[in-house]
Coordinates of all heavy atoms in Angstrom, one line a residue:
M1 N -11.6 4.6 15.0 CA -12.5 3.6 14.3 C -13.9 4.2 14.4 O -14.4 4.5 15.4 CB -12.4 2.2 14.8 CG -13.2 1.3 14.0 SD -13.1 -0.5 14.5 CE -11.4 -0.8 14.2
W2 N -14.6 4.1 13.2 CA -16.0 4.6 13.1 C -16.9 3.4 13.3 O -16.6 2.3 12.8 CB -16.2 5.2 11.8 CG -15.5 6.4 11.4 CD1 -14.2 6.4 10.8 CD2 -15.9 7.7 11.5 NE1 -13.9 7.7 10.6 CE2 -14.9 8.5 11.0 CE3 -17.1 8.3 11.9 CZ2 -15.0 9.9 10.9 CZ3 -17.2 9.7 11.8 CH2 -16.1 10.5 11.3
T3 N -18.0 3.6 14.0 CA -19.1 2.6 13.9 C -19.8 2.8 12.6 O -19.7 3.8 12.0 CB -20.1 2.8 15.1 OG1 -20.8 4.0 14.9 CG2 -19.4 2.7 16.4
L4 N -20.4 1.7 12.1 CA -21.1 1.8 10.9 C -22.1 3.0 10.8 O -22.2 3.7 9.9 CB -21.8 0.5 10.5 CG -22.5 0.4 9.2 CD1 -21.6 0.7 8.0 CD2 -23.1 -0.9 9.0
Q5 N -22.9 3.1 11.9 CA -23.9 4.1 12.0 C -23.3 5.5 11.9 O -23.7 6.4 11.2 CB -24.7 4.0 13.3 CG -25.9 4.9 13.3 CD -26.9 4.7 12.2 OE1 -27.2 3.5 11.9 NE2 -27.4 5.7 11.6
D6 N -22.2 5.7 12.7 CA -21.5 7.0 12.6 C -20.9 7.3 11.2 O -20.9 8.4 10.8 CB -20.4 7.1 13.7 CG -20.9 7.2 15.1 OD1 -22.1 7.5 15.3 OD2 -20.2 6.9 16.0
A7 N -20.4 6.3 10.6 CA -19.8 6.4 9.3 C -20.9 6.8 8.3 O -20.6 7.6 7.4 CB -19.1 5.2 8.9
K8 N -22.0 6.2 8.4 CA -23.2 6.6 7.5 C -23.6 8.1 7.7 O -23.8 8.8 6.8 CB -24.4 5.7 7.8 CG -24.3 4.3 7.3 CD -25.6 3.7 7.6 CE -25.6 2.2 7.4 NZ -26.9 1.6 7.8
N9 N -23.7 8.4 9.0 CA -24.1 9.8 9.3 C -23.1 10.9 8.9 O -23.5 12.0 8.6 CB -24.4 9.9 10.8 CG -25.6 9.1 11.2 OD1 -26.5 8.8 10.4 ND2 -25.7 8.7 12.5
R10 N -21.8 10.5 9.0 CA -20.8 11.5 8.7 C -19.9 11.0 7.5 O -18.7 11.1 7.6 CB -19.9 11.7 9.9 CG -20.8 12.2 11.1 CD -20.2 12.9 12.2 NE -19.2 13.9 11.7 CZ -18.0 14.2 12.2 NH1 -17.7 13.5 13.3 NH2 -17.3 15.1 11.7
F11 N -20.5 10.5 6.5 CA -19.8 9.9 5.4 C -18.8 10.9 4.7 O -17.7 10.6 4.3 CB -20.7 9.3 4.3 CG -20.0 8.5 3.3 CD1 -19.4 7.3 3.6 CD2 -20.0 8.9 2.0 CE1 -18.7 6.5 2.7 CE2 -19.3 8.1 1.0 CZ -18.7 7.0 1.4
S12 N -19.2 12.1 4.6 CA -18.4 13.2 4.0 C -17.1 13.3 4.8 O -16.0 13.4 4.3 CB -19.1 14.5 4.0 OG -20.1 14.5 3.0
A13 N -17.2 13.2 6.2 CA -16.0 13.3 7.0 C -15.1 12.1 6.8 O -13.9 12.2 6.8 CB -16.4 13.5 8.5
V14 N -15.7 10.9 6.7 CA -14.9 9.7 6.4 C -14.1 9.8 5.1 O -13.0 9.5 5.1 CB -15.8 8.5 6.4 CG1 -15.1 7.2 6.0 CG2 -16.5 8.3 7.8
V15 N -14.8 10.3 4.1 CA -14.2 10.4 2.8 C -13.1 11.5 2.8 O -12.0 11.3 2.3 CB -15.2 10.7 1.7 CG1 -14.6 11.1 0.4 CG2 -16.2 9.6 1.5
D16 N -13.4 12.6 3.4 CA -12.4 13.7 3.5 C -11.1 13.2 4.2 O -10.0 13.5 3.8 CB -12.9 14.9 4.3 CG -14.0 15.7 3.4 OD1 -14.0 15.5 2.2 OD2 -14.8 16.4 4.0
A17 N -11.3 12.5 5.3 CA -10.1 12.0 6.0 C -9.3 11.0 5.2 O -8.1 10.9 5.2 CB -10.5 11.3 7.4
A18 N -10.0 10.1 4.5 CA -9.4 9.1 3.6 C -8.6 9.8 2.5 O -7.5 9.5 2.1 CB -10.4 8.2 3.0
L19 N -9.2 10.9 1.9 CA -8.5 11.7 0.9 C -7.3 12.4 1.4 O -6.4 12.7 0.7 CB -9.5 12.7 0.2 CG -10.6 12.0 -0.7 CD1 -11.6 13.1 -1.1 CD2 -9.9 11.3 -1.9
A20 N -7.3 12.7 2.7 CA -6.2 13.4 3.3 C -5.0 12.4 3.7 O -4.0 12.8 4.2 CB -6.6 14.1 4.6
G21 N -5.2 11.1 3.3 CA -4.2 10.2 3.5 C -4.3 9.4 4.8 O -3.3 8.7 5.2
Q22 N -5.4 9.4 5.4 CA -5.7 8.7 6.7 C -6.7 7.6 6.4 O -7.9 8.0 6.5 CB -6.1 9.6 7.8 CG -5.1 10.7 8.1 CD -5.7 11.8 8.9 OE1 -6.9 11.9 9.1 NE2 -4.8 12.6 9.5
P23 N -6.4 6.4 6.2 CA -7.4 5.3 6.0 C -8.3 5.3 7.2 O -7.9 5.4 8.3 CB -6.6 4.1 5.9 CG -5.2 4.5 5.4 CD -5.0 5.8 6.0
Q24 N -9.6 5.1 6.9 CA -10.6 5.1 7.9 C -11.2 3.7 8.1 O -11.7 3.2 7.2 CB -11.8 6.1 7.6 CG -11.3 7.6 7.4 CD -10.7 8.1 8.7 OE1 -11.4 8.3 9.6 NE2 -9.4 8.4 8.6
E25 N -11.1 3.2 9.4 CA -11.7 1.9 9.7 C -13.1 2.1 10.1 O -13.4 3.0 10.9 CB -10.8 1.3 10.8 CG -9.4 1.0 10.4 CD -8.6 0.4 11.5 OE1 -9.1 -0.6 12.1 OE2 -7.5 0.8 11.7
V26 N -13.9 1.1 9.7 CA -15.3 1.1 10.1 C -15.7 -0.2 10.7 O -15.3 -1.3 10.1 CB -16.3 1.4 8.9 CG1 -17.7 1.4 9.3 CG2 -15.9 2.7 8.2
S27 N -16.3 -0.2 11.8 CA -16.7 -1.5 12.5 C -18.2 -1.7 12.3 O -19.0 -0.8 12.1 CB -16.3 -1.4 14.0 OG -17.1 -0.5 14.6
R28 N -18.5 -3.0 12.4 CA -19.9 -3.4 12.3 C -20.1 -4.4 13.4 O -19.4 -5.4 13.5 CB -20.2 -4.1 11.0 CG -21.6 -4.5 10.8 CD -21.7 -5.2 9.5 NE -22.9 -4.8 8.7 CZ -23.2 -5.2 7.5 NH1 -22.5 -6.1 6.9 NH2 -24.3 -4.8 7.0
R29 N -21.1 -4.2 14.3 CA -21.4 -5.0 15.4 C -20.2 -5.2 16.3 O -19.9 -6.3 16.8 CB -22.0 -6.3 15.0 CG -23.3 -6.2 14.3 CD -23.9 -7.6 13.9 NE -25.0 -7.4 13.1 CZ -25.0 -7.8 11.8 NH1 -24.0 -8.4 11.2 NH2 -26.1 -7.6 11.1
G30 N -19.4 -4.1 16.4 CA -18.2 -4.2 17.3 C -16.9 -4.8 16.7 O -15.9 -4.9 17.4
K31 N -17.0 -5.3 15.5 CA -15.9 -5.9 14.9 C -15.4 -5.1 13.7 O -16.3 -4.6 12.9 CB -16.2 -7.3 14.5 CG -16.6 -8.3 15.6 CD -16.9 -9.6 15.1 CE -17.3 -10.5 16.3 NZ -17.7 -11.8 15.8
P32 N -14.1 -5.0 13.4 CA -13.6 -4.3 12.2 C -14.3 -4.9 11.0 O -14.3 -6.1 10.8 CB -12.1 -4.5 12.2 CG -11.8 -4.9 13.6 CD -13.0 -5.5 14.2
A33 N -14.8 -4.1 10.1 CA -15.5 -4.6 8.9 C -14.8 -4.1 7.6 O -14.5 -4.9 6.7 CB -16.9 -4.1 8.9
V34 N -14.6 -2.8 7.5 CA -14.0 -2.3 6.2 C -13.0 -1.2 6.5 O -13.0 -0.6 7.6 CB -15.1 -1.8 5.2 CG1 -16.0 -2.9 4.8 CG2 -15.8 -0.6 5.8
V35 N -12.2 -0.8 5.5 CA -11.3 0.3 5.6 C -11.6 1.2 4.3 O -11.7 0.7 3.2 CB -9.9 -0.1 5.6 CG1 -9.0 1.1 5.5 CG2 -9.6 -0.9 6.8
V36 N -11.8 2.5 4.6 CA -12.1 3.4 3.5 C -10.8 4.1 3.2 O -10.2 4.7 4.1 CB -13.2 4.4 3.8 CG1 -13.4 5.4 2.7 CG2 -14.5 3.7 4.1
L37 N -10.3 4.1 2.0 CA -9.0 4.8 1.6 C -9.2 5.4 0.3 O -10.1 5.1 -0.5 CB -7.8 3.8 1.7 CG -8.0 2.5 0.9 CD1 -7.2 2.6 -0.4 CD2 -7.4 1.4 1.8
S38 N -8.3 6.3 0.0 CA -8.4 7.1 -1.3 C -8.2 6.2 -2.5 O -7.5 5.1 -2.4 CB -7.4 8.2 -1.3 OG -6.1 7.7 -1.4
A39 N -8.7 6.6 -3.6 CA -8.5 5.8 -4.9 C -7.0 5.8 -5.2 O -6.6 4.7 -5.7 CB -9.3 6.4 -6.0
D40 N -6.3 6.8 -5.0 CA -4.9 6.8 -5.3 C -4.1 5.8 -4.5 O -3.3 5.1 -5.0 CB -4.3 8.2 -5.1 CG -4.7 9.2 -6.1 OD1 -5.2 8.8 -7.2 OD2 -4.7 10.4 -5.8
E41 N -4.4 5.8 -3.2 CA -3.8 4.8 -2.3 C -4.1 3.4 -2.7 O -3.3 2.5 -2.7 CB -4.2 5.1 -0.8 CG -3.5 4.1 0.2 CD -2.0 4.3 0.3 OE1 -1.4 5.2 -0.3 OE2 -1.4 3.4 0.9
Y42 N -5.4 3.1 -3.1 CA -5.8 1.8 -3.5 C -5.1 1.4 -4.7 O -4.6 0.2 -4.8 CB -7.3 1.8 -3.7 CG -7.9 0.5 -4.2 CD1 -7.9 -0.6 -3.4 CD2 -8.4 0.4 -5.5 CE1 -8.4 -1.8 -3.8 CE2 -8.9 -0.8 -6.0 CZ -8.9 -1.9 -5.1 OH -9.4 -3.1 -5.6
A43 N -5.0 2.3 -5.7 CA -4.2 2.0 -7.0 C -2.8 1.7 -6.7 O -2.2 0.7 -7.2 CB -4.4 3.1 -7.9
R44 N -2.2 2.4 -5.7 CA -0.8 2.2 -5.4 C -0.6 0.8 -4.8 O 0.3 0.1 -5.1 CB -0.3 3.3 -4.4 CG 1.2 3.2 -4.1 CD 1.6 4.0 -2.9 NE 1.0 3.5 -1.7 CZ 1.4 2.5 -1.0 NH1 2.3 1.7 -1.4 NH2 0.7 2.1 0.2
M45 N -1.5 0.5 -3.9 CA -1.4 -0.8 -3.2 C -1.6 -2.0 -4.2 O -0.9 -3.0 -4.1 CB -2.5 -0.9 -2.1 CG -2.2 0.0 -0.9 SD -3.5 0.1 0.3 CE -3.5 -1.6 0.9
R46 N -2.6 -1.8 -5.1 CA -2.8 -2.9 -6.1 C -1.6 -3.1 -7.0 O -1.2 -4.2 -7.3 CB -4.0 -2.6 -7.0 CG -5.3 -2.8 -6.2 CD -6.4 -3.1 -7.0 NE -6.2 -4.1 -8.0 CZ -7.1 -4.7 -8.7 NH1 -8.3 -4.4 -8.5 NH2 -6.8 -5.6 -9.6
A47 N -1.0 -1.9 -7.4 CA 0.2 -2.0 -8.3 C 1.4 -2.7 -7.5 O 2.1 -3.5 -8.1 CB 0.6 -0.6 -8.7
A48 N 1.5 -2.3 -6.3 CA 2.6 -3.0 -5.5 C 2.4 -4.4 -5.3 O 3.3 -5.2 -5.4 CB 2.7 -2.3 -4.1
A49 N 1.2 -4.8 -5.1 CA 0.8 -6.3 -4.9 C 1.1 -7.0 -6.2 O 1.5 -8.2 -6.2 CB -0.6 -6.4 -4.4
G50 N 0.7 -6.4 -7.3 CA 0.9 -7.1 -8.6 C 2.3 -7.3 -8.9 O 2.7 -8.3 -9.5
E51 N 3.2 -6.4 -8.6 CA 4.6 -6.5 -8.9 C 5.2 -7.6 -8.1 O 6.0 -8.4 -8.6 CB 5.3 -5.2 -8.5 CG 5.0 -4.0 -9.4 CD 5.6 -2.7 -8.9 OE1 6.3 -2.7 -7.9 OE2 5.3 -1.7 -9.5
K52 N 4.8 -7.8 -6.8 CA 5.4 -8.8 -6.0 C 4.8 -10.2 -6.3 O 5.5 -11.2 -6.2 CB 5.1 -8.5 -4.5 CG 5.8 -7.3 -4.0 CD 5.5 -7.0 -2.6 CE 6.0 -5.7 -2.1 NZ 5.5 -5.3 -0.8
R53 N 3.6 -10.2 -6.6 CA 2.9 -11.5 -6.7 C 3.1 -12.2 -8.0 O 3.4 -13.4 -8.0 CB 1.4 -11.2 -6.5 CG 0.6 -12.5 -6.5 CD -0.9 -12.3 -6.2 NE -1.4 -11.0 -6.7 CZ -2.4 -10.4 -6.1 NH1 -3.0 -10.9 -5.1 NH2 -2.8 -9.2 -6.6
G54 N 3.1 -11.5 -9.1 CA 3.3 -12.1 -10.4 C 2.0 -12.9 -10.8 O 1.0 -12.9 -10.1
S55 N 2.1 -13.7 -11.9 CA 1.0 -14.4 -12.4 C 0.9 -15.8 -11.7 O 1.9 -16.3 -11.2 CB 1.0 -14.6 -13.9 OG 2.1 -15.5 -14.2
F56 N -0.2 -16.4 -11.8 CA -0.4 -17.8 -11.2 C 0.4 -18.8 -12.0 O 1.0 -19.7 -11.5 CB -1.9 -18.1 -11.2 CG -2.1 -19.5 -10.6 CD1 -1.9 -19.7 -9.3 CD2 -2.7 -20.5 -11.3 CE1 -2.1 -20.9 -8.7 CE2 -2.9 -21.7 -10.8 CZ -2.7 -21.9 -9.4
I57 N 0.5 -18.6 -13.3 CA 1.3 -19.5 -14.2 C 2.8 -19.4 -13.8 O 3.4 -20.5 -13.7 CB 1.1 -19.1 -15.7 CG1 -0.3 -19.4 -16.1 CG2 2.1 -19.9 -16.5 CD1 -0.7 -18.9 -17.4
T58 N 3.3 -18.2 -13.5 CA 4.7 -18.1 -13.1 C 4.9 -18.8 -11.8 O 5.9 -19.5 -11.6 CB 5.1 -16.6 -13.0 OG1 4.8 -15.9 -14.2 CG2 6.5 -16.4 -12.6
H59 N 3.9 -18.7 -10.9 CA 4.0 -19.4 -9.6 C 4.1 -20.9 -9.8 O 4.9 -21.6 -9.2 CB 2.8 -19.0 -8.8 CG 2.7 -19.8 -7.5 ND1 3.5 -19.6 -6.4 CD2 1.8 -20.8 -7.1 CE1 3.2 -20.5 -5.5 NE2 2.1 -21.2 -5.9
L60 N 3.2 -21.5 -10.6 CA 3.3 -22.9 -10.9 C 4.6 -23.4 -11.5 O 5.1 -24.4 -11.2 CB 2.1 -23.3 -11.7 CG 0.7 -23.2 -11.1 CD1 -0.4 -23.6 -12.1 CD2 0.6 -24.1 -9.9
L61 N 5.0 -22.6 -12.5 CA 6.3 -23.0 -13.2 C 7.5 -22.8 -12.3 O 8.5 -23.4 -12.6 CB 6.4 -22.1 -14.4 CG 5.4 -22.4 -15.5 CD1 5.6 -21.4 -16.7 CD2 5.5 -23.8 -16.0
S62 N 7.4 -22.1 -11.2 CA 8.6 -22.0 -10.3 C 8.8 -23.2 -9.4 O 9.8 -23.2 -8.7 CB 8.4 -20.7 -9.5 OG 7.4 -20.8 -8.5
F63 N 7.9 -24.1 -9.3 CA 8.0 -25.3 -8.5 C 9.2 -26.1 -9.0 O 9.4 -26.3 -10.2 CB 6.8 -26.2 -8.5 CG 5.7 -25.7 -7.6 CD1 4.6 -25.0 -8.1 CD2 5.8 -25.9 -6.2 CE1 3.6 -24.5 -7.3 CE2 4.8 -25.4 -5.4 CZ 3.7 -24.7 -5.9
P64 N 10.0 -26.7 -8.1 CA 11.2 -27.4 -8.5 C 10.8 -28.8 -9.1 O 9.6 -29.3 -8.9 CB 11.9 -27.7 -7.2 CG 10.9 -27.6 -6.1 CD 9.9 -26.6 -6.6
G65 N 11.7 -29.3 -9.9 CA 11.4 -30.6 -10.5 C 11.2 -30.5 -12.0 O 10.9 -29.4 -12.5
D66 N 11.3 -31.6 -12.6 CA 11.1 -31.6 -14.1 C 9.6 -32.0 -14.4 O 9.2 -33.1 -14.1 CB 12.1 -32.6 -14.7 CG 12.0 -32.7 -16.2 OD1 11.3 -31.8 -16.8 OD2 12.5 -33.6 -16.8
P67 N 8.9 -31.1 -15.0 CA 7.5 -31.4 -15.3 C 7.3 -32.5 -16.3 O 6.2 -33.1 -16.4 CB 6.9 -30.1 -15.8 CG 8.1 -29.3 -16.3 CD 9.2 -29.7 -15.5
D68 N 8.3 -32.8 -17.1 CA 8.2 -33.9 -18.1 C 8.7 -35.2 -17.6 O 8.6 -36.2 -18.3 CB 9.1 -33.5 -19.3 CG 8.6 -32.2 -20.0 OD1 7.4 -32.0 -20.0 OD2 9.4 -31.4 -20.5
S69 N 9.1 -35.3 -16.3 CA 9.6 -36.6 -15.8 C 8.3 -37.5 -15.5 O 7.3 -37.0 -15.1 CB 10.4 -36.4 -14.5 OG 9.6 -35.9 -13.5
P70 N 8.5 -38.8 -15.8 CA 7.3 -39.7 -15.6 C 7.0 -39.8 -14.1 O 7.9 -39.7 -13.2 CB 7.8 -41.0 -16.1 CG 9.3 -40.9 -16.1 CD 9.6 -39.5 -16.2
R71 N 5.7 -39.9 -13.8 CA 5.3 -40.1 -12.4 C 5.6 -41.5 -12.0 O 5.5 -42.5 -12.8 CB 3.8 -39.8 -12.3 CG 3.4 -38.4 -12.7 CD 2.0 -38.2 -12.5 NE 1.8 -37.6 -11.2 CZ 0.6 -37.4 -10.7 NH1 -0.5 -37.7 -11.3 NH2 0.5 -36.8 -9.5
P72 N 6.0 -41.7 -10.7 CA 6.2 -43.1 -10.3 C 4.9 -43.9 -10.3 O 3.9 -43.4 -10.0 CB 6.7 -42.9 -8.8 CG 6.3 -41.5 -8.4 CD 6.1 -40.7 -9.7
Q73 N 5.1 -45.2 -10.7 CA 4.0 -46.1 -10.7 C 3.8 -46.7 -9.3 O 4.7 -47.4 -8.8 CB 4.1 -47.1 -11.7 CG 4.2 -46.6 -13.1 CD 2.9 -45.9 -13.5 OE1 1.8 -46.4 -13.2 NE2 3.0 -44.8 -14.2
I74 N 2.7 -46.5 -8.7 CA 2.5 -47.0 -7.3 C 1.3 -48.0 -7.4 O 0.3 -47.7 -8.0 CB 2.1 -45.9 -6.3 CG1 3.3 -44.9 -6.3 CG2 1.8 -46.4 -5.0 CD1 3.0 -43.7 -5.5
T75 N 1.5 -49.2 -6.8 CA 0.5 -50.2 -6.8 C -0.4 -50.0 -5.5 O 0.2 -49.9 -4.4 CB 1.1 -51.6 -6.8 OG1 2.1 -51.7 -7.8 CG2 0.1 -52.7 -6.9
P76 N -1.7 -49.8 -5.7 CA -2.5 -49.7 -4.5 C -2.5 -50.9 -3.7 O -2.4 -52.0 -4.2 CB -3.9 -49.4 -5.1 CG -3.8 -49.8 -6.5 CD -2.4 -49.8 -6.9
R77 N -2.8 -50.8 -2.4 CA -2.8 -52.0 -1.5 C -4.2 -52.6 -1.7 O -5.2 -52.0 -2.0 CB -2.5 -51.6 -0.1 CG -3.6 -50.6 0.5 CD -3.1 -50.2 1.9 NE -4.0 -49.2 2.4 CZ -4.9 -49.4 3.3 NH1 -5.1 -50.6 3.8 NH2 -5.7 -48.4 3.7
D78 N -4.2 -53.9 -1.4 CA -5.5 -54.7 -1.4 C -6.3 -54.3 -0.2 O -5.8 -54.2 1.0 CB -5.2 -56.2 -1.4 CG -4.6 -56.6 -2.7 OD1 -4.9 -56.0 -3.7 OD2 -3.8 -57.6 -2.7
V79 N -7.6 -54.1 -0.4 CA -8.5 -53.8 0.7 C -9.6 -54.8 0.7 O -10.2 -55.1 -0.3 CB -9.0 -52.4 0.6 CG1 -10.0 -52.0 1.7 CG2 -7.9 -51.3 0.5
S80 N -9.9 -55.3 1.8 CA -11.0 -56.3 1.9 C -12.2 -55.6 2.7 O -12.0 -55.0 3.7 CB -10.6 -57.6 2.6 OG -10.2 -57.3 3.9
F81 N -13.3 -55.8 2.2 CA -14.5 -55.3 2.8 C -15.4 -56.3 3.5 O -15.6 -57.4 3.1 CB -15.4 -54.5 1.8 CG -14.7 -53.3 1.2 CD1 -14.1 -53.3 0.0 CD2 -14.7 -52.1 2.0 CE1 -13.5 -52.2 -0.5 CE2 -14.1 -51.0 1.5 CZ -13.5 -51.0 0.2

């Protein structure tokens, strides 16, 4: 893992390692902050995530139940103030 300062100073080495297929982690203030990876790997990951995830509309439509069924009528309770 690179510190942010080291990654700045040796950015070419960070990029070269990422292009060689080794994602590079960079920390900030001692905590993991970012990962540098090649554009090809990023595109592959996005494509894989899109295939699994699907659209939001598909997700909503996959919920069980009939969307056209009437909602139950609930009478609210009396509250005194």
